[in-house]
Amino acid sequence: RGTVKPAFPLSPRRPVPDSIAKPDYAFNGEPVSELKNDRTNKIRVLKPDEIEKMREVCKLGREILDLAGEAVKPGITTDEIDVIVHNASIERGGYPSPLNYFNYPKSVCTSVNEVICHGIPDKRKLVDGDIVNIDVSFYKDGFHADLNETYYVGDKAKSNPDLVRLVETTRESLDKCIEAVKPGLPVREFGNIIQKIADDNNVSVVRTYCGHGVNQLFHCQPEIPHYAKNKAIGVCTPGICFTIEPMLNLGSYRDVMWPDGWTSTTSDGKPSAQFEHTLLVTEDGVEVLTARKATSPGGPVKRI
Ligand code: MF3
Ligand code: CO
């Protein structure tokens, strides 16, 4: 729908050593435990030792995303970013959660320009003026971390007022949700917060993809839609973990799927941005388990 095209062939599947503990789908592509759990409709409250494991895996997930983010510059291919994420995951003793999830072929999602989400790393080189979202998920000690950021490629992207409005509005919409998290808040409220900021900045909200519970399972209850007036079920309760991951578009909110069955793009070819954190609800608010560090690459730029 825009100018991004698949750049084949994909590199061969990258191996993960036998010594690394893997989620069930790593073997045959089917997340059996997730599919079973979906029928229970229950939001898991984690025990203190489980929360500690979430903290650790999310801290490592942040390190991995930051390594990938530091590599973003004109000329690097998205497959080279996949190598960085794959190796950094193994070096940290864990498994890159996307690999073989419903047969997804790579270890990270890289979504350029009009790609909304689930872009597959390939031979395409990033160019000055692109934006790229890097979505890292990491599994270790039985728990998953899930986080993503959108990065400006080169200086051209940062001097494009429409792109900056899109990216910074998306970043702020997630930050505003995080400020609101506290026990008792219905998860359906996040969509109202995001939609208000999107409307105020003349960008649209993707409806097809949602945030989600994340713990021993990569994706589970609650479902977190990012649009207003949604009817999602669930209330923030101390000890639950979930993601919020708004995808906002410069043009139409509509998405279309590439024939690869993964890559989702805007229907009109205009750019899309996304940010994601894994959150833990606490007694008095929220802990951003995947929080940025002072040294993290990327980060907000001033609107122009
Ligand atoms: N990381 C994505 C999320 O935020 C999910 C990617 S699934 C994959 O939920 F199979 F495409 F990797
Ligand atoms: Co997610």
Side-chain angles (χ1 to χ4, degrees):
R1 299 303 173 111
T3 59
V4 178
K5 294 284 174 307
F8 290 145
L10 294 186
S11 53
R13 180 169 166 164
R14 298 188 212 287
V16 179
D18 287 340
S19 58
I20 286 184
K22 300 176 180 66
D24 55 5
Y25 56 80
F27 303 96
N28 64 1
E30 233 186 295
V32 180
S33 52
E34 268 184 37
L35 297 168
K36 267 195 192 148
N37 175 264
D38 278 349
R39 293 178 229 142
T40 69
N41 250 329
K42 281 222 170 68
I43 302 176
R44 277 217 55 201
V45 177
L46 301 188
K47 301 181 185 77
D49 62 306
E50 297 174 324
I51 290 173
E52 212 33 66
K53 289 178 181 177
M54 278 302 288
R55 283 197 181 103
E56 178 64 15
V57 72
C58 287
K59 190 191 99 190
L60 296 172
R62 165 52 63 183
E63 289 179 11
I64 298 165
L65 178 62
D66 285 356
L67 284 172
E70 278 159 19
V72 168
K73 51 181 168 298
I76 191 171
T77 67
T78 48
D79 190 61
E80 287 165 336
I81 295 173
D82 187 69
V83 174
I84 293 170
V85 169
H86 186 84
N87 292 343
S89 301
I90 290 169
E91 279 162 20
R92 284 161 181 75
Y95 181 88
S97 307
L99 186 61
N100 214 33
Y101 182 73
F102 288 109
N103 302 116
Y104 183 80
K106 291 288 158 195
S107 300
V108 65
C109 299
T110 52
S111 301
V112 176
N113 298 342
E114 70 267 27
V115 180
I116 295 170
C117 63
H118 304 162
I120 299 172
D122 64 13
K123 289 168 69 173
R124 186 186 183 282
K125 287 186 163 104
L126 297 180
V127 301
D128 196 359
D130 283 345
I131 53 171
V132 61
N133 177 277
I134 303 180
D135 190 344
V136 165
S137 315
F138 179 60
Y139 177 79
K140 187 177 180 183
D141 219 355
F143 290 80
H144 294 268
D146 194 4
L147 73 161
N148 74 53
E149 291 195 28
T150 298
Y151 300 91
Y152 300 93
V153 182
D155 294 332
K156 240 194 217 164
K158 283 187 194 164
S159 53
N160 177 333
D162 286 335
L163 269 188
V164 172
R165 170 168 55 88
L166 173 68
V167 173
E168 298 311 320
T169 301
T170 311
R171 191 191 316 272
E172 284 164 24
S173 74
L174 174 55
D175 291 345
K176 287 284 180 230
C177 288
I178 292 169
E179 284 172 26
V181 179
K182 58 169 194 236
L185 183 78
V187 300
R188 63 172 181 269
E189 288 305 322
F190 298 124
N192 296 328
I193 294 170
I194 293 162
Q195 184 93 55
K196 165 89 173 70
I197 300 171
D199 290 351
D200 287 349
N201 288 277
N202 196 23
V203 297
S204 64
V205 181
V206 172
R207 301 175 74 92
T208 302
Y209 301 93
C210 297
H212 51 90
V214 58
N215 43 57
Q216 286 103 327
L217 300 174
F218 189 3
H219 297 101
C220 55
Q221 300 84 356
E223 183 173 66
I224 317 263
H226 305 295
Y227 50 87
K229 296 185 185 162
N230 70 75
K231 295 181 163 51
I233 293 168
V235 173
C236 292
T237 309
I240 72 168
C241 287
F242 58 85
T243 74
I244 306 177
E245 46 185 302
M247 287 145 270
L248 304 188
N249 298 348
L250 258 189
S252 168
Y253 75 90
R254 288 182 188 276
D255 58 285
V256 294
M257 177 83 89
W258 278 6
D260 64 17
W262 284 106
T263 310
S264 171
T265 80
T266 58
S267 60
D268 57 10
K270 293 186 180 167
S272 181
Q274 182 180 23
F275 288 85
E276 175 178 30
H277 276 301
T278 296
L279 308 174
L280 165 72
V281 181
T282 61
E283 296 295 335
D284 54 1
V286 65
E287 206 174 299
V288 183
L289 299 179
T290 49
R292 289 172 58 80
K293 302 188 281 189
T295 52
S296 295
V301 310
K302 256 187 82 137
R303 287 165 187 260
I304 35 177

